[in-house]
Amino acid sequence: MELDFVEYQDKMLKCLELQDEINKRINKKWVKERTEEDFFRAIWLETAELMEELPWKWWKKTETDHDNLQIEVVDIFHFLLSLILLKHYKLDHDDFFTGYTDIAISLFYYGLEYSRKLNTNELITQVETIAKQSLMRNDTGLILTFSGIVNTVFDDFNQMYMLYIGKNILNRIRQEKGYNTGTYKKVINGLEDNKYLTQIIRHIKDEEILEDVIRRAFEELQS
């Protein structure tokens, strides 16, 4: 199904705004204190976690957990958004409709529209490519390669968008509940909070009620 650019652009702008907010919640001076290398490094390290969800180990049987696979892709998306924001701010732009964010949004859209779904071996290779592009500080290639991974792991961009919004809400809950100080319980009744999140989002189609449902669910889980 063709992705409507205006709707897509609005959602990407919201993702960038939310990412900026969570970055400022963690460190108000993040733009001055973080470097592009920080986010490139975070991306290639996250690709290792993504790779662990794929059946690349020929010497043993590996079952791919699709929920975990999607969460790992969204985790990379967080750092990619942060990289885009940092490059945007370093170029002295405030308006997300101008400057680097506008270029990155259009590039990602192009990749989503024209990349095809990958088979398992191709997906493994493209995850490796993400790591290589991060080490080479190749942001253009990184965005285009990542779009192909998104198209393969998710049904469409909107499915990833909903999971990103949900993970952003969870990240805020983590910060509020003492993630930085170690008092937040990430594992609840033997399951990671990410696992609960994917289970909750699977049944929600309305973005407007997403935060209320997630917050109520985690209040009950951690009570």
Side-chain angles (χ1 to χ4, degrees):
M1 185 173 67
E2 187 175 342
L3 180 62
D4 179 75
F5 181 76
V6 175
E7 179 187 351
Y8 156 82
Q9 184 181 54
D10 288 344
K11 289 180 175 179
M12 280 294 291
L13 289 170
K14 181 170 182 178
C15 290
L16 287 162
E17 289 167 0
L18 289 172
Q19 192 62 46
D20 202 20
E21 286 174 13
I22 196 71
N23 288 356
K24 286 175 180 173
R25 186 185 290 262
I26 295 168
N27 180 358
K28 290 181 180 179
K29 299 178 180 179
W30 80 270
V31 173
K32 290 183 178 179
E33 295 183 3
R34 296 277 61 81
T35 65
E36 290 181 23
E37 286 71 21
D38 289 330
F39 294 115
F40 279 122
R41 183 181 299 116
I43 290 169
W44 69 257
L45 284 168
E46 286 291 338
T47 62
E49 295 187 24
L50 176 57
M51 184 67 82
E52 282 299 289
E53 298 298 330
L54 294 169
W56 64 273
K57 296 177 182 178
W58 65 90
W59 63 90
K60 61 183 286 190
K61 182 175 175 58
T62 306
E63 295 291 339
T64 298
D65 186 320
H66 201 69
D67 287 346
N68 286 349
L69 197 65
Q70 291 183 340
I71 281 288
E72 295 300 344
V73 172
V74 166
D75 285 346
I76 292 173
F77 189 50
H78 278 83
F79 291 120
L80 182 57
L81 289 171
S82 295
L83 175 64
I84 291 168
L85 283 165
L86 186 64
K87 290 177 75 71
H88 181 81
Y89 286 135
K90 294 293 186 186
L91 292 169
D92 245 351
H93 291 287
D94 291 319
D95 186 354
F96 287 168
F97 278 105
T98 63
Y100 185 77
T101 51
D102 195 38
I103 295 169
I105 286 171
S106 297
L107 189 63
F108 190 36
Y109 178 82
Y110 176 87
L112 290 169
E113 281 292 274
Y114 293 102
S115 61
R116 60 176 177 81
K117 285 196 176 292
L118 307 167
N119 63 39
T120 301
N121 287 335
E122 290 172 330
L123 180 57
I124 290 169
T125 299
Q126 290 301 84
V127 171
E128 288 179 325
T129 300
I130 287 279
K132 292 173 187 175
Q133 289 166 334
S134 298
L135 288 166
M136 293 170 62
R137 313 293 191 250
N138 180 0
D139 52 303
T140 299
L142 184 58
I143 291 169
L144 289 172
T145 304
F146 182 72
S147 64
I149 292 173
V150 170
N151 265 348
T152 301
V153 173
F154 292 92
D155 293 337
D156 52 31
F157 169 78
N158 290 326
Q159 187 186 26
M160 187 190 74
Y161 170 78
M162 284 290 283
L163 186 53
Y164 171 80
I165 297 297
K167 186 62 185 286
N168 190 277
I169 294 165
L170 177 57
N171 283 342
R172 279 185 274 137
I173 293 171
R174 285 173 171 178
Q175 293 297 318
E176 292 162 11
K177 300 293 185 180
Y179 196 60
N180 282 348
T181 60
T183 57
Y184 174 79
K185 292 189 298 182
K186 190 174 181 180
V187 178
I188 309 163
N189 301 325
L191 285 179
E192 271 204 4
D193 54 3
N194 281 328
K195 200 70 174 175
Y196 288 106
L197 179 66
T198 56
Q199 293 172 0
I200 294 164
I201 289 178
R202 190 178 292 123
H203 304 291
I204 303 174
K205 303 299 180 185
D206 184 359
E207 184 186 339
E208 297 301 315
I209 66 170
L210 193 60
E211 180 158 5
D212 182 56
V213 172
I214 291 172
R215 284 188 175 276
R216 279 193 287 108
F218 276 95
E219 283 296 330
E220 291 174 9
L221 285 166
Q222 296 199 329
S223 61

